[in-house]
Amino acid sequence: GPQYNDDKRYNEEMFNLLSQLQLPRMSINEAPSLKILVVADIDLKSAAALAEHSLQNQQLGGGNIDCIIACGPFARDEDIRQYLQGRYCRIQRKPHERSRQETAALEGIMSSTLSQLESIVCRVVYVLHPTDPLSTQCPSKE
């Protein structure tokens, strides 16, 4: 592309180019819409129930969600309480205090929860909670 010596000339050229675009004119009623489902603090059981409800709703002609935004936490220490029974464990430990096995179990629960949401629509954006497994928050060093 052309080289510009100053911002003013660049801005003028961009304005000229953009003003030549032929954009469709639509009324508010014709404008495309986006259906976004926002969920927060969802566990595996709730995600499965939501996926089942969505499937039944789609069969009845409803639904058509375009994207899901999911906010954590997705897995809690209580979810693996059965695994932790018989061991001293403070419930809802800090992520760096968990063993590798506890972290792996919570990762599995989190993965299953997100998979349930992906069964509704494949576009799922998730925002982690500070108590979600550390391995989901930091890149792997292996």
Side-chain angles (χ1 to χ4, degrees):
Q3 296 293 325
Y4 298 102
N5 294 332
D6 60 22
D7 289 339
K8 183 178 179 188
R9 186 165 171 231
Y10 172 80
N11 289 338
E12 288 172 357
E13 183 67 23
M14 289 307 293
F15 178 79
N16 289 335
L17 289 171
L18 291 173
S19 64
Q20 296 171 15
L21 288 177
Q22 298 294 319
L23 299 175
R25 302 209 185 262
M26 290 186 239
S27 70
I28 296 293
N29 296 333
E30 296 175 304
S33 65
L34 193 61
K35 291 183 182 177
I36 300 174
L37 172 64
V38 179
V39 295
D41 196 15
I42 191 164
D43 60 5
L44 180 56
K45 185 177 177 181
S46 301
L50 184 61
E52 181 66 28
H53 175 76
S54 177
L55 178 64
Q56 290 173 355
N57 194 27
Q58 284 177 353
Q59 290 173 347
L60 297 173
N64 300 337
I65 296 168
D66 296 305
C67 177
I68 296 175
I69 298 175
C71 302
F74 297 98
R76 297 149 196 80
D77 288 335
E78 300 93 51
D79 297 336
I80 57 171
R81 183 177 296 173
Q82 199 170 27
Y83 166 78
L84 298 173
Q85 271 185 335
R87 298 173 54 192
Y88 172 75
C89 175
R90 183 178 52 163
I91 295 301
Q92 206 53 44
R93 295 164 25 160
K94 294 178 182 168
H96 65 274
E97 296 174 343
R98 295 179 183 135
S99 70
R100 286 184 182 200
Q101 293 83 3
E102 292 166 344
T103 298
L106 291 170
E107 285 172 351
I109 292 168
M110 182 176 168
S111 177
S112 297
T113 302
L114 292 172
S115 291
Q116 288 295 323
L117 296 175
E118 288 173 340
S119 72
I120 299 170
V121 63
C122 65
R123 291 168 299 278
V124 176
V125 177
Y126 62 92
V127 180
L128 297 171
H129 188 269
T131 60
D132 285 324
L134 271 180
S135 55
T136 62
Q137 300 175 25
C138 305
S140 176
K141 293 180 183 176
E142 296 180 90

